[in-house]
Amino acid sequence: MKRDYYEVLGVARDAGTDELKKAYRKLAMELHPDRNPGNKEAEEKFKEAAEAYSVLSDPEKRKVYDQFGHAGLGGAGGGGGQQFQFDPSQFADFEDILGSFFGGGLFGDLFGGGRRRSTGEERGSDLQYNLRIGFKDAIFGQEAMELSIPRLEACDTCHGSGCEAGSRPETCPQCRGQGQVAVRQGFFQMLAPCPRCEGRGRFIPKPCKACGGEGRVHRKTKVGFRIPAGVDRGTRLRLQGQGEAGRFGGRAGDLYIVFDVEPDPAYERDGSDLHRRLDVSWPLLVLGGTLPVETPYGADKVKVAPGTPADHVVKLVNAGVPRLQGGGRGDLYLHLRAAVPKTLTAEQRELLEQLRRSLDGEAAGESEEGFLSKVFGGSEKNGKKKRK
Ligand SMILES: [Zn+2]
Ligand SMILES: [Zn+2]
């Protein structure tokens, strides 16, 4: 005996669309063949739930079912003949658990293919090419780039049709051009791809000799493109129609160039911002002055105010990387760090000692908190130790 569809899904007779969806999703997850390997009962229940959902989620079928029950859906033959046909598009919301219907997937495995194909053409595959570029090329971009890409291209001899000159594809006699044939599976009648024409609906009586009837051949071709200014590691550039040609004259796929960017010893990149560490003499920080700096756009000068802290950050607006989206550029952050000389000449040492005595004298009574801690904000442990 067939169970009531509402009972199968565990919903009330007035359940709304969302409620149906929810109930079906829960069941499909529970009874999923991946979770119940080899469990025939679970598989049958899984199919039962799919059938129930496909009826109740279709307003027309639901109306008939509500009025006449299972008998109403039994097909023109009536008499309890359990004919049943799925419309895979009703399950499009469940692709995350069931897999893709039109490309086969779990649904296709259990119920037979749901491939929808009206012509014999097939879109070609997308291709991916990983390209490593220099740090500066990523910032400034590069015109007139060229890559040699091995790929399948439309056959010149037959112009992609796969047919010998003077011949043309013929309608498949087995499926009468539908590309699908009805297959019985238990009480289901499912549509499966036609075995004779592989679902294309047509076949090639005289295949082209150059491509064996595929309509495409292997070739290595130079593809031109430009690197936009501002690409980053992982940026994908899509070159439409530069992927592989489709079989039997189908549309070509796309070529994706995925960038990797060489690091630069001077800069650290964070999106469209750049960071650069700079060692500067501490008298410059103390006294102030002008600091010459290099940016990706050339030499520049930065004004350093007197009494600048030892870990100061200077922001050079618009000196970063161009933004791929939104325009403009990021900023360049200069992380200034006081350089402490390791060796000194006798003269420099004398001058420093003089300076220290002078500064220590100024701060009378703070013998431990000497000149170095003034300059370095009290964090210079070495300075303290030496003076003990
Ligand atoms: Zn050919
Ligand atoms: Zn066929």
Side-chain angles (χ1 to χ4, degrees), residues 116-121 177-178 199-202:
R116 226 178 355 194
R117 201 155 274 156
S118 52
T119 68
E121 296 156 14
Q178 296 300 303
R200 295 197 301 277
R202 298 189 292 177

Side-chain angles (χ1 to χ4, degrees), residues 132-140 232-233 260-270 274-277 294-296 321 332:
R132 191 169 162 94
I133 59 172
F135 189 79
K136 290 270 168 73
D137 286 342
I139 295 178
F140 295 105
D232 204 349
R233 174 170 299 168
D260 187 17
V261 181
E262 277 169 25
D264 186 284
Y267 298 100
E268 230 168 82
R269 182 168 168 181
D270 177 18
L274 290 175
H275 296 264
R276 177 168 199 168
R277 266 153 244 288
E294 273 298 317
T295 80
V321 181
L332 169 60

Side-chain angles (χ1 to χ4, degrees), residues 155-160 162-163 208-213 215-217:
C155 171
D156 288 334
T157 311
C158 62
H159 305 289
C163 302
C208 161
K209 288 192 180 69
C211 63
R216 49 186 195 172
V217 288

Side-chain angles (χ1 to χ4, degrees), residues 5 24 28 45 93 98 100 111 128 136 147 186 195 223 227 238 240 242 313 341 382:
Y5 286 148
Y24 174 63
K45 281 191 167 167
D93 288 339
L98 303 177
S100 150
F111 300 104
Q128 181 176 321
K136 290 270 168 73
L147 281 175
V223 175
I227 302 175
R238 176 168 171 241
Q240 201 173 354
Q242 295 288 2
V313 180
N382 287 340

Side-chain angles (χ1 to χ4, degrees), residues 254-265:
D254 301 329
L255 170 65
Y256 289 92
I257 297 176
V258 181
F259 293 100
D260 187 17
V261 181
E262 277 169 25
D264 186 284

Side-chain angles (χ1 to χ4, degrees), residues 161-229:
S161 72
C163 302
E164 220 182 75
S167 77
R168 42 189 318 192
E170 285 173 18
T171 303
C172 171
Q174 189 164 340
C175 61
R176 293 190 201 89
Q178 296 300 303
Q180 296 177 320
V181 287
V183 176
R184 281 193 82 84
Q185 272 189 11
F187 52 75
F188 293 110
Q189 174 150 316
M190 299 303 312
L191 292 175
C194 170
R196 167 107 187 239
C197 62
E198 292 172 352
R200 295 197 301 277
R202 298 189 292 177
F203 76 102
I204 293 168
K206 286 183 191 158
C208 161
K209 288 192 180 69
C211 63
E214 269 250 324
R216 49 186 195 172
V217 288
H218 282 283
R219 212 175 282 155
K220 205 166 186 181
T221 303
K222 287 192 169 133
V223 175
F225 65 101
R226 56 176 278 272
I227 302 175

